[in-house]
Amino acid sequence: MKQLKAASLITAIKTPYTTAGEVDIATYDFLVQAQIDAGVDGIVVGGTTGEGHLLSWEEHLILIAHSVHKFSDKLLIIGNTGSNNTSEAIKATKNGFAAGMDATLQINPYYGRTSTAGVIEHLTRTLDIGPAFIYNVPGRTGQDLTPDIIETLAKHENFIGVKECAGNERIAHYEKQGIACWSGNDDESHDGRHQYGSHGVISVTSNIVPRLMRKLMDNENIELNSQLQSLMQWLFCEPNPIAINTTLMMTGAVSTNFRLPYKALSKEQRQQGYELLSALNNDERVGDSLSLLDDDDFNYCV
């Protein structure tokens, strides 16, 4: 638990695909190694950015097990084994811990929303299994995990903390009570860390610039944070992970294969990103090239 709470930079790692639409393990290993080389503390496997919702449970759990086998001596492995179905969340979380993951990331039931009492019971059942980060992202779930919920869950011995997307004021409120928080908003994460007392960030942006995100978490750097704001905001110009997928394809880090329903950013959007990425040094980006790409370069799989 102490090591988990000490992790200030955790990357929500992307899942890459082959032209046939299968999980591309070799490229996945390249992406994870880039995170290790940059000093990232841990990865979330199969999160929103890793498209866990587009993976079968078999694929999802194999990827967690592979990550543990290959990389657990180098960084923390956090498996996104949450679900809006309590039974599925319990089963996946048990299997994830059986595979050796260090912790789980758990989300409140989405779409088929439940009451506050139901949310607490759902998350308590998964906390009973092992160490867990609770993920509050109202923009996706449609339901805010308000302080009365989190403060109740924080009493559980397996509660690590919160990945919080409701802003730095909320984070400061929790941290003052000793409830650990990681920012879920990259553009707020520097100030969250150095001005509001967060433990760090669970980041999308670190997929492409892990060394720069490491700098932002290690020391207050107002100038660098300001420089990265446009890139961070552009990475969310469409619902995540559309932009980070497109970005890693533009830098040659992954093949140009999407799983539907995700499609590449438009050429106009890619041009904006190209200009932002061009302003970075080559060794600051993951991938060894940079190109705009044409619309017909992208392959769409199901």
Side-chain angles (χ1 to χ4, degrees):
M1 189 69 77
K2 187 177 292 187
Q3 187 181 3
L4 288 161
K5 288 194 174 184
S8 59
L9 178 56
I10 299 168
T11 298
I13 197 76
K14 177 193 164 37
T15 302
Y17 303 106
T18 67
T19 55
E22 302 296 327
V23 174
D24 185 344
I25 292 292
T27 300
Y28 176 82
D29 289 351
F30 164 78
L31 295 177
V32 176
Q33 188 60 52
Q35 300 298 312
I36 293 168
D37 294 344
V40 168
D41 300 305
I43 55 172
V44 173
V45 182
T48 305
T49 309
E51 301 179 18
H53 47 289
L54 301 188
L55 302 174
S56 68
W57 277 118
E58 181 180 39
E59 289 175 318
H60 202 144
L61 292 164
I62 287 172
L63 199 56
I64 291 171
H66 171 78
S67 301
V68 170
H69 176 74
K70 185 100 176 182
F71 301 112
S72 62
D73 60 333
K74 301 179 180 70
L75 41 61
L76 295 165
I77 308 299
I78 301 153
N80 169 35
T81 55
S83 172
N84 61 345
N85 178 326
T86 306
S87 176
E88 284 191 2
I90 290 170
K91 182 177 180 180
T93 301
K94 286 181 177 178
N95 286 336
F97 279 115
M101 68 183 184
D102 296 291
T104 175
L105 180 71
Q106 291 290 327
I107 198 164
N108 50 304
Y110 45 89
Y111 186 72
R113 290 167 52 184
T114 185
S115 63
T116 294
V119 169
I120 292 172
E121 184 69 17
H122 171 92
L123 292 171
T124 298
R125 294 294 184 102
T126 56
L127 280 163
D128 287 343
I129 302 166
F133 294 84
I134 304 302
Y135 185 16
N136 183 36
V137 56
R140 286 187 180 269
T141 65
Q143 187 175 30
D144 187 14
L145 296 182
T146 49
D148 57 317
I149 296 173
I150 294 300
E151 289 161 12
T152 299
L153 295 170
K155 299 172 185 176
H156 197 289
E157 62 180 358
N158 286 329
F159 177 93
I160 302 166
V162 188
K163 179 184 178 183
E164 182 59 76
C165 295
N168 284 332
E169 295 291 344
R170 178 80 64 85
I171 286 173
H173 170 79
Y174 289 141
E175 288 284 357
K176 286 175 184 176
Q177 300 180 63
I179 296 174
C181 285
W182 286 258
S183 178
N185 300 328
D186 284 335
D187 60 342
E188 297 179 335
S189 64
H190 171 270
D191 291 352
R193 172 79 166 154
H194 301 294
Q195 296 178 24
Y196 293 85
S198 80
H199 277 55
V201 63
I202 298 179
S203 176
V204 174
T205 305
S206 54
N207 276 278
I208 187 65
V209 287
R211 295 181 191 280
L212 297 183
M213 290 302 296
R214 179 75 276 169
K215 288 181 180 180
L216 285 188
M217 291 300 103
D218 286 347
N219 298 289
E220 188 170 18
N221 192 327
I222 295 171
E223 181 180 0
L224 178 59
N225 184 51
S226 179
Q227 290 171 357
L228 289 177
Q229 284 298 305
S230 293
L231 175 63
M232 291 174 178
Q233 291 165 15
W234 174 78
L235 286 171
F236 292 88
C237 67
E238 297 287 0
N240 184 52
I242 295 169
I244 193 63
N245 284 353
T246 307
T247 300
L248 291 167
M249 294 170 189
M250 290 169 62
T251 65
V254 305
S255 299
T256 54
N257 302 311
F258 278 87
R259 267 192 184 179
L260 291 170
Y262 295 125
K263 294 197 70 175
L265 294 178
S266 69
K267 196 161 190 177
E268 181 181 0
Q269 291 170 319
R270 298 199 301 274
Q271 181 64 51
Q272 294 169 354
Y274 183 89
E275 293 169 6
L276 293 168
L277 294 163
S278 296
L280 302 173
N281 296 328
N282 290 341
D283 62 356
E284 292 173 335
R285 302 187 304 252
V286 174
D288 58 8
S289 62
L290 181 61
S291 61
L292 188 59
L293 298 174
D294 292 320
D295 289 342
D296 58 8
D297 288 330
F298 299 101
N299 175 47
Y300 299 104
C301 312
V302 292

